[in-house]
C-alpha cells in the first residue's frame, strides 16, 4: 500500500475511533433527554443568544437577564450566530445544533495541527505516527472530551481549531517572508481567522501569544538575515499584527496577570468575600501529575514514552517548539487549573507518536533488514500508537444534562407561578439555566461572579433572621451594586459595612422577585462558608449537611441510613449516638416538632457512622407521603434555607408559591 493510501486509512481509523466515543450514546441520549439536551453551564448562555436572535429579541446591546439590576453588555458569539443562521435558513432545530455541534467539530483542530507538523517535520513516515496520537489523545483526553461532549454548546469545541489554524498560517507567513505576495495572502488569512476567533472567544491573551511566536520564530529561522534583507517584510507583518490586534494587545498583559492570579494562584478580590470563589468552581482546581496521567494516556508507560518523545521532538524540531511554546506554556498551567489540559493534551499526543517513531527508527536502522520485517514492525508499532493514544477513561464518559430531570421539570413548571419581567434570587449555579429556560433575570450566574450578590444570596440563606433576607433582596433589587464597586472592579466596602447599609434600608423591592432554592444547594459547602460571614456563627465544620436521602417504606416501617420509623407504634430508632435531637417535619401541614427517639442497639460495626458532635436529624414527610432524612449540624437548624426549603414555613414577607421538594422550592417576595 502506498503512503497516501495508508495515510488516508490511518486518518479514517483515527477519526472513526474519536467519533465512536463521542457519539456512541447519541440515540440513548436523545431518547432519554430529548427535551433538555444542554450539558454545560455556559452552554445555556450561548444557546439563549441563538434563541434570542431567532425570536428577533430586541436586547442586542444590553443583556437585561444577566446581573440584574445592573445588567451586562450583550454579546453574541460566533457559534451562537452560526446556530441562528442554520436554524433560520436551513430550518435545523436549535436543540439539534446544541446537541451535535460540540462533538462533531471538536476534533477538527487536528487538521491545522497535523498540517503544521507535516510542514515542519517533512517526514511522511513520522507523520503517520502523529495522525492517531494527536487525533485520538488530543480529542479523547477526559478534559477535552468532557468539555466537548454531546450538548456542551460552549466555546471550547472551536477554540483549538482557531488557535492551531492561526498558528499554521503564522508559520506559513514566516516561512514565506521573502515573498511579499505570500506575506499578503497569509496576513489576510490570519486576519480573517483571528477576527473570527475573537468573535468566538474574545480573550486578549492570545494576541500576545501570536505576536510572540511570530517574532521569536522569525528571528530563529532567519537570524541576521531578518534584519539585513527581510526587515521591510518583517516590519510590515509586525505592523499588521499590531493593527489587527490593537485592542487585544493593550489588554493582553493584564489578561496574563489575571490568568495567573485567578486560575493558577486562586487570587480574587480579598477585600470582601471571606473565601475565594475559585475553590467552588471545579474547572479551576489544579491537577497533580497522577491526575494528568489518568486524564491523558491513563497508562504510566505510555505517559513516560510521551514525555521522553516530546522532549526529543522539541529538541529535534526547535522551530515547532518556539512557534507553539505559548500554547504549550498555557497547557502547563493545567497544574493550576484543569481546564487548560485541553491545550496540553495534543502535545502529549505528539510525544506518544514521536516516542514510538524513535523506537521504530532505532529498530529499522539496526535490525530490520528486509521489507517484511520493516512492514510488520511498522504495523505493530502503529497499532501500539493507537493503543497508547486511546485512554481507557474514554469508556467512562457518559454525557448527561447538566441538571437532573427533576430540576429541569421543576424549573419549567415553576414558571407558571411567576410574573412576567420578574427577577430570580438563586445561587449562581442556576443563573444561566434560569435565563435560558424561563427568560427571567438573575442576580448572579455562571459568567457573573459578582461577589456582593453571591454573598448576599449566601447570607440570605444562612441567616436566621427573615428581615435580613428581605432587606438583602430589597436593597439589591432597587440599588444594585454599581455604587459599591470601583472602576477597577474592586469592592470599596467591607461585609460589616454592607450589612449595616442593608439593615438600615427601608424600601420594598420595586420588582417582583422570587427566591429559588434547589435541593442541590444543601450540598454546597461554599454557600455556608461565605454565608455565615457577618453572623455570630464563626466556627463550624463543613459540610453542614451530612446526609440527605429518600427513605424506603415497607410493612409500615420507614427505613433510612440513619433512622427507622415504625408507623404503627410511632417509634423512632436512631443509629448514630451523636444525634442530639430529632425534628419531625410535615411539609403538607407546614408544621415541625421535636420528637422523642431511641438509640438503636446494634452489634454491627459503627465506623461508617458520622462522628461529628451536635447532629440534628430532620425527618421530612412530603405531601405525597414520602419520607426523607436530613442529617445536619445543629447550626443549620432555623437558618432561612432550613425554614424555607426544609420546613416550608410561613413568613410575613415571603409567600410560598411553588413546592416540589426535594427538587425546588419557590417563595415570592411580598
Amino acid at each position: 500500500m502506498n503512503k497516501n493510501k495508508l495515510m488516508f486509512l490511518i486518518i479514517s481509523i483515527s477519526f472513526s475511533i474519536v467519533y465512536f466515543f463521542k457519539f456512541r450514546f447519541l440515540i440513548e441520549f436523545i431518547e432519554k433527554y430529548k427535551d433538555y439536551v444542554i450539558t454545560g453551564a455556559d452552554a445555556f448562555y450561548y444557546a439563549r443568544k441563538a434563541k434570542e436572535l431567532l425570536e428577533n429579541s430586541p436586547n442586542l446591546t444590553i443583556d437585561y437577564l444577566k446581573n440584574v439590576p445592573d445588567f451586562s453588555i450583550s454579546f453574541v458569539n460566533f457559534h451562537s450566530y452560526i446556530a441562528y443562521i442554520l436554524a433560520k435558513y436551513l430550518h435545523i432545530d436549535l436543540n439539534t445544533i446544541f446537541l451535535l455541534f460540540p462533538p462533531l467539530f471538536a476534533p477538527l483542530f487536528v487538521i491545522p495541527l497535523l498540517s503544521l507538523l507535516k510542514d515542519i517535520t517533512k517526514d511522511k513516515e513520522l507523520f503517520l505516527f502523529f495522525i492517531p496520537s494527536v487525533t485520538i489523545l488530543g480529542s479523547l483526553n477526559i478534559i477535552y472530551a468532557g468539555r466537548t461532549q454531546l450538548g456542551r454548546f460552549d466555546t471550547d469545541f472551536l477554540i483549538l481549531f482557531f488557535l492551531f489554524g492561526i498558528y499554521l498560517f503564522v508559520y506559513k507567513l514566516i516561512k514565506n517572508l521573502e515573498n511579499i505576495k505570500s506575506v499578503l495572502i497569509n496576513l489576510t488569512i490570519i486576519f480573517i481567522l483571528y477576527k473570527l476567533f475573537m468573535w468566538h472567544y474574545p480573550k486578549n491573551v492570545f494576541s500576545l501569544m501570536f505576536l510572540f511566536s511570530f517574532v521569536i520564530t522569525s528571528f530563529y529561522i532567519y537570524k541576521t538575515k531578518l534584519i539585513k534583507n527581510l526587515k521591510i517584510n518583517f516590519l510590515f507583518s509586525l505592523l499588521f499584527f499590531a493593527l489587527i490586534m490593537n485592542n487585544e494587545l493593550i489588554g493582553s498583559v493584564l489578561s496574563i496577570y489575571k490568568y495567573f492570579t485567578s486560575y493558577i494562584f486562586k487570587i480574587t478580590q480579598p477585600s470582601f468575600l471571606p473565601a475565594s470563589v475559585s475553590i467552588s468552581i471545579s474547572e479551576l482546581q489544579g491537577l497533580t501529575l497522577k491526575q494528568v496521567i489518568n486524564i491523558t494516556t491513563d497508562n504510566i508507560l505510555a505517559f513516560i514514552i510521551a514525555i521522553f518523545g516530546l522532549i526529543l521532538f522539541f529538541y529535534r524540531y526547535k522551530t515547532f517548539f518556539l512557534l507553539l511554546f505559548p500554547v504549550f506554556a498555557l497547557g502547563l498551567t493545567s497544574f493550576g487549573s484543569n481546564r487548560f489540559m485541553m491545550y496540553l493534551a495534543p502535545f502529549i499526543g505528539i510525544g506518544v507518536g514521536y516516542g514510538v517513531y524513535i523506537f521504530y527508527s532505532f529498530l529499522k536502522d539496526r535490525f530490520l533488514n528486509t521489507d517484511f520485517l520493516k512492514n510488520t514492525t511498522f504495523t505493530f508499532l502503529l497499532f501500539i500508537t493507537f493503543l497508547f493514544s486511546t485512554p481507557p477513561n474514554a469508556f467512562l464518559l457518559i454525557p448527561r444534562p447538566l441538571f437532573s430531570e427533576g430540576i429541569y421539570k421543576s424549573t419549567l413548571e415553576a414558571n407558571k407561578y411567576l410574573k412576567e419581567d420578574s427577577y430570580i434570587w438563586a445561587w449562581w449555579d442556576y443563573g444561566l439555566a434560569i435565563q435560558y429556560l424561563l427568560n427571567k433575570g438573575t442576580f448572579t450566574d455562571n459568567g457573573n461572579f459578582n461577589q456582593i450578590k453571591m454573598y448576599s444570596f449566601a447570607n440570605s440563606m444562612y441567616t436566621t433572621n427573615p428581615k435580613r433576607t428581605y432587606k438583602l433582596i430589597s436593597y439589591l433589587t432597587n440599588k444594585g451594586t454599581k455604587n459599591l464597586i470601583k472602576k477597577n472592579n474592586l469592592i470599596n466596602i467591607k461585609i460589616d459595612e454592607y450589612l449595616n447599609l442593608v439593615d438600615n434600608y427601608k424600601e420594598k423591592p420595586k420588582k417582583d422577585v422570587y427566591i429559588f432554592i434547589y435541593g442541590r444547594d444543601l450540598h454546597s459547602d461554599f454557600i455556608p462558608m461565605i454565608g455565615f460571614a457577618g453572623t455570630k456563627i464563626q466556627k463550624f465544620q463543613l459540610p453542614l449537611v451530612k446526609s440527605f436521602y429518600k427513605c424506603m417504606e415497607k410493612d409500615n416501617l420507614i427505613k433510612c441510613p440513619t433512622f427507622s420509623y415504625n408507623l404503627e407504634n410511632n417509634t423512632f430508632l436512631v443509629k448514630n449516638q451523636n444525634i442530639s435531637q430529632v425534628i419531625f417535619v410535615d411539609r403538607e401541614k407546614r408544621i415541625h416538632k421535636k420528637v422523642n427517639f431511641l438509640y438503636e442497639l446494634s452489634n454491627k460495626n459503627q465506623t461508617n457512622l458520622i462522628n461529628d458532635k451536635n447532629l440534628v436529624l430532620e425527618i421530612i414527610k412530603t405531601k405525597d407521603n414520602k419520607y426523607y432524612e436530613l442529617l445536619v449540624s445543629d447550626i443549620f437548624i432555623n437558618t432561612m434555607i432550613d425554614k424555607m426549603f426544609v420546613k416550608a414555613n410561613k413568613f410575613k414577607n415571603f409567600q410560598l408559591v411553588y413546592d416540589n421538594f426535594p427538587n425546588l422550592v419557590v417563595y415570592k417576595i411580598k
Side-chain angles (χ1 to χ4, degrees):
M1 185 182 294
N2 65 44
K3 287 285 176 62
N4 288 333
K5 288 183 179 179
L6 181 59
M7 181 177 69
F8 178 77
L9 177 63
I10 296 172
I11 290 173
S12 299
I13 295 173
S14 299
F15 273 93
S16 296
I17 291 172
V18 169
Y19 282 124
F20 164 75
F21 279 103
K22 285 190 166 294
F23 288 99
R24 65 194 181 111
F25 291 109
L26 176 61
I27 295 176
E28 179 183 336
F29 187 94
I30 292 173
E31 290 176 350
K32 194 171 183 179
Y33 306 117
K34 60 181 178 179
D35 295 326
Y36 37 98
V37 301
I38 294 177
T39 58
D42 291 343
F44 282 109
Y45 172 78
Y46 302 113
R48 174 166 70 88
K49 288 303 172 183
K51 187 170 71 170
E52 287 176 351
L53 285 172
L54 196 61
E55 296 172 352
N56 297 313
S57 172
N59 302 335
L60 297 180
T61 55
I62 298 176
D63 193 331
Y64 290 102
L65 301 186
K66 283 178 68 69
N67 194 32
V68 300
D70 304 300
F71 308 122
S72 298
I73 297 173
S74 181
F75 185 81
V76 179
N77 294 68
F78 172 74
H79 63 305
S80 296
Y81 192 79
I82 294 298
Y84 152 69
I85 293 295
L86 293 175
K88 182 174 182 178
Y89 295 104
L90 298 182
H91 307 291
I92 302 175
D93 180 63
L94 277 179
N95 271 348
T96 301
I97 296 172
F98 302 154
L99 178 68
L100 299 181
F101 262 40
L104 185 63
F105 289 104
L108 298 187
F109 77 89
V110 303
I111 296 174
L113 180 55
L114 287 175
S115 298
L116 193 58
L117 286 165
K118 189 177 181 182
D119 283 356
I120 291 177
T121 61
K122 294 180 173 56
D123 187 330
K124 290 185 178 180
E125 203 166 47
L126 169 60
F127 183 69
L128 296 178
F129 284 91
F130 280 147
I131 294 171
S133 65
V134 173
T135 303
I136 299 173
L137 191 55
S139 300
L140 294 183
N141 67 87
I142 204 72
I143 294 294
Y144 192 60
R147 297 183 68 86
T148 58
Q149 63 181 321
L150 290 167
R152 190 75 180 250
F153 191 66
D154 203 339
T155 54
D156 287 357
F157 73 94
L158 284 177
I159 289 176
L160 294 184
F161 173 78
F162 281 119
L163 183 64
F164 291 122
I166 292 171
Y167 268 109
L168 173 63
F169 287 97
V170 168
Y171 176 69
K172 289 180 180 293
L173 170 66
I174 297 170
K175 190 172 65 171
N176 299 290
L177 205 54
E178 299 175 82
N179 187 323
I180 188 62
K181 183 179 178 181
S182 295
V183 167
L184 292 173
I185 291 173
N186 287 308
L187 284 175
T188 301
I189 296 173
I190 290 170
F191 171 78
I192 294 170
L193 286 175
Y194 180 76
K195 289 302 179 184
L196 289 175
F197 188 25
M198 289 301 100
W199 182 11
H200 178 71
Y201 191 60
K203 298 295 182 182
N204 294 328
V205 68
F206 292 107
S207 63
L208 197 60
M209 289 168 58
F210 297 134
L211 187 61
F212 172 86
S213 296
F214 171 70
V215 173
I216 200 74
T217 310
S218 297
F219 272 101
Y220 174 74
I221 291 176
Y222 294 105
K223 299 179 175 64
T224 57
K225 186 180 177 182
L226 188 69
I227 305 300
K228 292 179 179 179
N229 303 328
L230 299 175
K231 63 181 178 182
I232 293 178
N233 289 1
F234 174 74
L235 291 174
F236 174 76
S237 301
L238 201 60
L239 178 63
F240 189 87
F241 269 94
L243 287 174
I244 68 171
M245 302 176 182
N246 178 45
N247 293 332
E248 291 80 19
L249 281 172
I250 293 173
S252 59
V253 175
L254 183 62
S255 294
I256 292 174
Y257 172 78
K258 183 179 178 181
Y259 265 60
F260 273 88
T261 55
S262 61
Y263 284 99
I264 309 305
F265 300 115
K266 306 293 187 294
I267 300 173
T268 57
Q269 301 171 22
S271 59
F272 195 77
L273 287 183
S276 170
V277 66
S278 63
I279 65 175
S280 68
I281 303 174
S282 60
E283 72 176 42
L284 298 187
Q285 309 313 307
L287 298 173
T288 63
L289 181 60
K290 183 178 180 180
Q291 289 173 321
V292 169
I293 296 171
N294 292 339
I295 285 169
T296 52
T297 62
D298 200 23
N299 181 314
I300 186 64
L301 176 60
F303 189 79
I304 292 172
I305 291 172
I307 297 304
F308 279 103
L310 187 61
I311 293 171
L312 292 173
F313 178 78
F314 280 161
Y315 181 78
R316 172 69 177 81
Y317 298 99
K318 296 182 182 66
T319 299
F320 185 91
F321 172 69
L322 292 173
L323 182 71
L324 288 180
F325 173 75
V327 183
F328 179 67
L330 185 60
L332 289 177
T333 63
S334 57
F335 289 98
S337 175
N338 64 72
R339 72 160 297 183
F340 294 116
M341 177 51 63
M342 61 184 276
Y343 300 98
L344 184 62
F347 291 96
I348 297 176
I350 290 171
V352 170
Y354 194 69
V356 177
Y357 170 77
I358 288 295
F359 183 61
Y360 169 69
S361 298
F362 173 81
L363 294 177
K364 184 176 70 171
D365 294 341
R366 290 165 176 78
F367 306 108
L368 309 179
N369 47 23
T370 67
D371 288 341
F372 173 77
L373 286 175
K374 289 179 183 178
N375 293 335
T376 302
T377 305
F378 175 84
T379 303
F380 174 73
L381 290 179
L382 191 62
F383 172 76
I384 293 297
T385 304
F386 272 97
L387 193 65
F388 281 171
S389 302
T390 307
N393 279 335
F395 286 97
L396 304 178
L397 188 63
I398 302 175
R400 292 184 180 90
L402 184 63
F403 302 122
S404 67
E405 182 179 3
I407 289 179
Y408 272 101
K409 289 185 175 180
S410 297
T411 302
L412 291 169
E413 190 177 69
N415 199 33
K416 301 174 185 177
Y417 305 93
L418 312 182
K419 291 186 178 180
E420 289 295 323
D421 198 30
S422 56
Y423 292 163
I424 307 300
W425 184 264
W427 186 236
W428 64 264
D429 277 3
Y430 314 96
L432 293 178
I434 290 170
Q435 295 163 20
Y436 174 78
L437 295 171
L438 307 185
N439 198 37
K440 297 287 191 295
T442 64
F443 292 82
T444 61
D445 59 54
N446 312 71
N448 165 36
F449 300 123
N450 184 304
Q451 294 193 28
I452 295 175
K453 293 178 181 178
M454 282 195 296
Y455 167 75
S456 297
F457 177 85
N459 188 253
S460 73
M461 291 294 99
Y462 280 94
T463 180
T464 57
N465 185 357
K467 287 185 179 180
R468 165 68 63 77
T469 300
Y470 182 79
K471 286 179 176 288
L472 282 165
I473 297 172
S474 300
Y475 180 87
L476 286 182
T477 302
N478 298 341
K479 299 183 73 67
T481 60
K482 287 183 178 179
N483 62 318
L484 304 176
I485 299 177
K486 300 177 183 178
K487 290 183 179 180
N488 56 2
N489 289 326
L490 292 176
I491 298 171
N492 60 1
I493 192 171
K494 297 189 182 300
I495 286 179
D496 290 342
E497 297 170 337
Y498 172 65
L499 291 178
N500 185 60
L501 193 67
V502 166
D503 289 339
N504 288 302
Y505 191 69
K506 305 298 183 184
E507 296 185 33
K508 296 180 178 180
K510 297 176 182 178
K511 294 276 290 187
D512 291 311
V513 181
Y514 296 86
I515 302 173
F516 274 43
I517 309 175
Y518 289 92
R520 289 195 351 167
D521 291 339
L522 297 182
H523 299 288
S524 169
D525 287 347
F526 190 67
I527 299 178
M529 187 184 298
I530 64 173
F532 279 126
T535 71
K536 294 179 180 179
I537 306 295
Q538 296 300 315
K539 293 183 179 181
F540 50 90
Q541 184 177 354
L542 294 173
L544 296 186
V545 174
K546 313 300 179 180
S547 67
F548 185 23
Y549 292 105
K550 183 179 180 180
C551 303
M552 298 176 60
E553 180 178 356
K554 185 178 180 181
D555 299 329
N556 286 324
L557 185 65
I558 308 297
K559 282 191 173 184
C560 246
T562 307
F563 79 96
S564 61
Y565 173 33
N566 191 313
L567 296 176
E568 290 184 347
N569 58 24
N570 201 33
T571 302
F572 295 92
L573 290 178
V574 174
K575 299 177 182 178
N576 192 327
Q577 297 196 14
N578 289 318
I579 293 174
S580 59
Q581 59 177 300
V582 174
I583 300 173
F584 184 80
V585 178
D586 189 324
R587 290 184 54 80
E588 184 176 21
K589 297 178 181 178
R590 300 176 78 175
I591 60 172
H592 59 276
K593 60 181 179 179
K594 293 182 181 180
V595 295
N596 295 324
F597 62 93
L598 300 173
Y599 291 115
E600 183 178 296
L601 298 178
S602 174
N603 293 323
K604 294 180 180 180
N605 193 333
Q606 300 290 304
T607 57
N608 291 327
L609 294 180
I610 297 167
N611 292 320
D612 295 4
K613 302 297 182 181
N614 300 319
L615 297 177
V616 178
L617 174 64
E618 294 190 296
I619 300 172
I620 306 160
K621 179 184 177 185
T622 63
K623 56 188 176 183
D624 56 354
N625 290 319
K626 303 295 183 184
Y627 287 83
Y628 293 81
E629 77 161 34
L630 182 65
L631 184 63
V632 297
S633 297
D634 58 350
I635 60 172
F636 178 87
I637 300 302
N638 290 326
T639 59
M640 287 299 289
I641 195 170
D642 179 46
K643 293 175 182 177
M644 287 182 155
F645 183 78
V646 179
K647 295 170 180 164
N649 282 3
K650 296 179 180 179
F651 300 93
K652 175 184 176 182
N653 293 317
F654 308 105
Q655 177 186 354
L656 182 64
V657 295
Y658 178 75
D659 183 4
N660 189 19
F661 181 91
N663 293 308
L664 173 64
V665 173
V666 179
Y667 277 84
K668 182 181 184 300
I669 314 301
K670 294 181 182 178

